[in-house]
Each structure stands twice: as C-alpha cells, then as structure tokens.
Coordinates of all heavy atoms in Angstrom, one line a residue:
E172 N 3.2 -6.5 1.2 CA 2.6 -7.7 1.6 C 1.1 -7.5 1.7 O 0.3 -8.4 1.4 CB 3.1 -8.1 3.0 CG 4.6 -8.6 2.9 CD 5.2 -8.9 4.3 OE1 4.5 -8.6 5.3 OE2 6.3 -9.4 4.4
K173 N 0.6 -6.3 2.2 CA -0.8 -6.1 2.4 C -1.5 -5.5 1.1 O -2.7 -5.3 1.1 CB -1.0 -5.1 3.6 CG -0.4 -5.6 4.9 CD -1.1 -6.8 5.4 CE -0.5 -7.3 6.8 NZ -1.2 -8.5 7.3
G174 N -0.7 -5.1 0.1 CA -1.3 -4.5 -1.1 C -1.8 -3.1 -0.8 O -2.9 -2.7 -1.4
L175 N -1.1 -2.3 -0.1 CA -1.5 -1.0 0.3 C -1.0 0.0 -0.7 O 0.1 -0.2 -1.3 CB -1.0 -0.6 1.7 CG -1.4 -1.6 2.9 CD1 -0.8 -1.1 4.2 CD2 -2.9 -1.7 2.9
T176 N -1.7 1.1 -0.8 CA -1.2 2.2 -1.6 C 0.0 2.9 -0.8 O -0.1 3.1 0.3 CB -2.3 3.3 -1.8 OG1 -3.4 2.7 -2.4 CG2 -1.8 4.5 -2.7
P177 N 1.1 3.1 -1.5 CA 2.3 3.7 -0.8 C 2.0 5.0 -0.1 O 1.4 5.9 -0.6 CB 3.4 3.9 -1.9 CG 2.9 2.9 -2.9 CD 1.4 2.8 -2.9
L178 N 2.4 5.1 1.1 CA 2.3 6.3 1.9 C 3.6 7.1 1.7 O 4.7 6.7 1.9 CB 2.3 6.0 3.4 CG 2.2 7.1 4.4 CD1 1.0 7.9 4.3 CD2 2.3 6.5 5.9
P179 N 3.5 8.4 1.2 CA 4.6 9.2 1.0 C 5.5 9.4 2.3 O 5.0 9.8 3.3 CB 4.1 10.5 0.5 CG 2.7 10.2 0.0 CD 2.2 9.1 0.8
I180 N 6.8 9.2 2.2 CA 7.7 9.4 3.3 C 8.8 10.3 2.8 O 9.5 10.1 1.8 CB 8.3 8.1 3.7 CG1 7.2 7.1 4.2 CG2 9.3 8.3 4.8 CD1 7.7 5.8 4.7
I181 N 9.0 11.4 3.5 CA 10.0 12.4 3.2 C 11.1 12.4 4.3 O 10.8 12.5 5.5 CB 9.4 13.9 3.2 CG1 8.2 13.9 2.1 CG2 10.4 14.9 2.9 CD1 7.4 15.2 2.2
A182 N 12.3 12.2 3.9 CA 13.4 12.1 4.8 C 13.8 13.6 5.2 O 13.8 14.5 4.4 CB 14.6 11.5 4.2
M183 N 14.1 13.7 6.5 CA 14.6 14.9 7.1 C 15.8 14.6 7.9 O 15.7 14.0 8.9 CB 13.5 15.7 8.0 CG 12.3 16.0 7.2 SD 11.1 16.9 8.2 CE 11.9 18.5 8.5
T184 N 17.0 15.1 7.4 CA 18.2 14.7 8.1 C 19.3 15.7 8.0 O 19.2 16.5 7.0 CB 18.7 13.3 7.6 OG1 19.9 13.0 8.2 CG2 18.9 13.4 6.0
A185 N 20.2 15.7 8.9 CA 21.3 16.7 8.8 C 22.4 16.1 7.8 O 23.3 16.9 7.4 CB 22.0 16.8 10.2
N186 N 22.2 14.9 7.3 CA 23.2 14.3 6.4 C 22.9 14.9 5.0 O 21.7 14.9 4.5 CB 23.1 12.8 6.3 CG 23.5 12.2 7.7 OD1 24.4 12.8 8.4 ND2 23.0 11.0 8.0
A187 N 23.9 15.4 4.3 CA 23.7 16.0 3.0 C 24.6 15.5 1.9 O 24.7 16.0 0.8 CB 23.9 17.5 3.1
M188 N 25.3 14.4 2.2 CA 26.2 13.8 1.2 C 25.4 13.0 0.2 O 24.3 12.5 0.4 CB 27.2 12.9 1.9 CG 28.0 13.5 3.0 SD 29.0 14.8 2.3 CE 30.3 13.9 1.3
A189 N 25.9 12.9 -1.0 CA 25.2 12.2 -2.1 C 24.9 10.8 -1.7 O 23.9 10.2 -2.0 CB 26.1 12.2 -3.4
G190 N 25.8 10.1 -1.0 CA 25.6 8.7 -0.6 C 24.5 8.7 0.4 O 23.7 7.6 0.4
D191 N 24.3 9.6 1.3 CA 23.2 9.6 2.2 C 21.8 9.8 1.4 O 20.8 9.2 1.8 CB 23.3 10.8 3.2 CG 24.5 10.5 4.1 OD1 24.7 9.4 4.6 OD2 25.3 11.5 4.3
R192 N 21.8 10.6 0.5 CA 20.6 10.8 -0.3 C 20.2 9.5 -1.1 O 19.0 9.1 -1.1 CB 20.8 12.0 -1.4 CG 21.0 13.3 -0.7 CD 20.8 14.4 -1.7 NE 21.8 14.5 -2.7 CZ 22.9 15.1 -2.6 NH1 23.2 15.8 -1.4 NH2 23.8 15.1 -3.5
M193 N 21.2 8.8 -1.6 CA 20.9 7.6 -2.2 C 20.5 6.5 -1.2 O 19.6 5.7 -1.5 CB 22.1 7.0 -3.0 CG 21.9 5.8 -3.8 SD 20.5 5.9 -4.9 CE 21.2 7.2 -6.1
K194 N 21.0 6.6 0.0 CA 20.6 5.7 1.0 C 19.1 5.9 1.4 O 18.4 4.9 1.6 CB 21.4 5.9 2.3 CG 21.2 4.8 3.4 CD 22.2 5.1 4.5 CE 21.9 4.1 5.6 NZ 22.9 4.2 6.8
C195 N 18.6 7.1 1.3 CA 17.2 7.4 1.5 C 16.4 6.7 0.4 O 15.3 6.1 0.7 CB 17.0 8.9 1.6 SG 17.7 9.7 3.1
L196 N 16.8 6.9 -0.8 CA 16.0 6.3 -1.9 C 16.0 4.8 -1.8 O 15.0 4.2 -2.0 CB 16.6 6.8 -3.2 CG 16.2 8.2 -3.7 CD1 17.0 8.4 -5.1 CD2 14.7 8.3 -3.9
D197 N 17.1 4.3 -1.5 CA 17.3 2.8 -1.4 C 16.4 2.2 -0.3 O 15.9 1.1 -0.4 CB 18.7 2.4 -1.2 CG 19.6 2.7 -2.4 OD1 19.0 2.8 -3.6 OD2 20.8 2.6 -2.3
A198 N 16.2 3.0 0.7 CA 15.3 2.5 1.8 C 13.8 2.6 1.5 O 13.0 2.1 2.2 CB 15.6 3.4 3.1
G199 N 13.5 3.4 0.4 CA 12.1 3.5 0.0 C 11.5 4.8 0.3 O 10.3 5.0 0.1
M200 N 12.3 5.8 0.7 CA 11.8 7.2 0.9 C 11.5 7.8 -0.4 O 12.2 7.6 -1.4 CB 12.8 8.0 1.8 CG 12.9 7.4 3.2 SD 14.2 8.3 4.1 CE 14.2 7.4 5.6
D201 N 10.6 8.8 -0.5 CA 10.2 9.4 -1.7 C 10.9 10.7 -2.0 O 11.0 11.1 -3.1 CB 8.6 9.7 -1.7 CG 7.8 8.4 -1.5 OD1 7.7 7.7 -2.5 OD2 7.3 8.1 -0.4
D202 N 11.3 11.4 -0.9 CA 11.9 12.7 -1.1 C 12.9 13.0 0.1 O 13.0 12.2 1.0 CB 10.7 13.8 -1.1 CG 11.1 15.1 -1.9 OD1 12.3 15.2 -2.2 OD2 10.2 15.8 -2.2
Y203 N 13.6 14.1 0.0 CA 14.6 14.4 0.9 C 14.7 15.9 1.2 O 14.7 16.7 0.3 CB 16.0 13.9 0.3 CG 17.2 14.2 1.1 CD1 17.8 13.2 1.9 CD2 17.8 15.4 1.1 CE1 18.9 13.4 2.6 CE2 19.0 15.6 1.8 CZ 19.5 14.6 2.6 OH 20.7 14.9 3.3
L204 N 14.7 16.2 2.5 CA 15.0 17.6 2.9 C 16.1 17.6 3.9 O 16.0 16.9 4.9 CB 13.8 18.2 3.5 CG 12.5 18.5 2.7 CD1 11.3 18.9 3.5 CD2 12.9 19.5 1.6
S205 N 17.2 18.3 3.6 CA 18.3 18.4 4.6 C 18.1 19.4 5.6 O 17.5 20.5 5.3 CB 19.6 18.5 3.8 OG 19.7 19.8 3.2
K206 N 18.6 19.2 6.8 CA 18.6 20.2 7.8 C 19.9 21.0 7.7 O 21.0 20.4 7.5 CB 18.5 19.6 9.2 CG 17.3 18.8 9.4 CD 17.4 18.1 10.8 CE 16.2 17.2 11.0 NZ 16.2 16.5 12.3
P207 N 19.8 22.4 7.9 CA 18.7 23.2 8.2 C 17.6 23.2 7.1 O 18.0 23.1 6.0 CB 19.2 24.6 8.4 CG 20.7 24.4 8.7 CD 21.1 23.1 7.9

C-alpha cells in the first residue's frame, strides 16, 4: 500500500514439516530456519 521496498523476513520456528515451510512462503516470508 505504501510502495515500500520489501523488508527481508526470515522465519524461525520449531515446525519443520513441508506444509509449515509452504505456510511461511505463503505468508510472505523470504526464508526459513528451523529450530534447533
């Protein structure tokens, strides 16, 4: 809405299932690191 340059967002979560990774992408996150 504001015409801003995208700010990189890296997900950090204990979820490691393929569906969770896709959920991160669908939400607009750029990358994914699983815990640990």
Side-chain angles (χ1 to χ4, degrees):
E172 292 174 353
K173 303 292 184 179
L175 305 180
T176 303
L178 177 64
I180 299 177
I181 302 170
M183 297 183 70
T184 178
N186 296 331
M188 302 298 291
D191 295 312
R192 295 194 293 270
M193 184 56 63
K194 188 176 180 180
C195 291
L196 280 179
D197 291 342
M200 297 174 180
D201 299 285
D202 208 346
Y203 176 99
L204 291 172
S205 64
K206 298 176 184 176

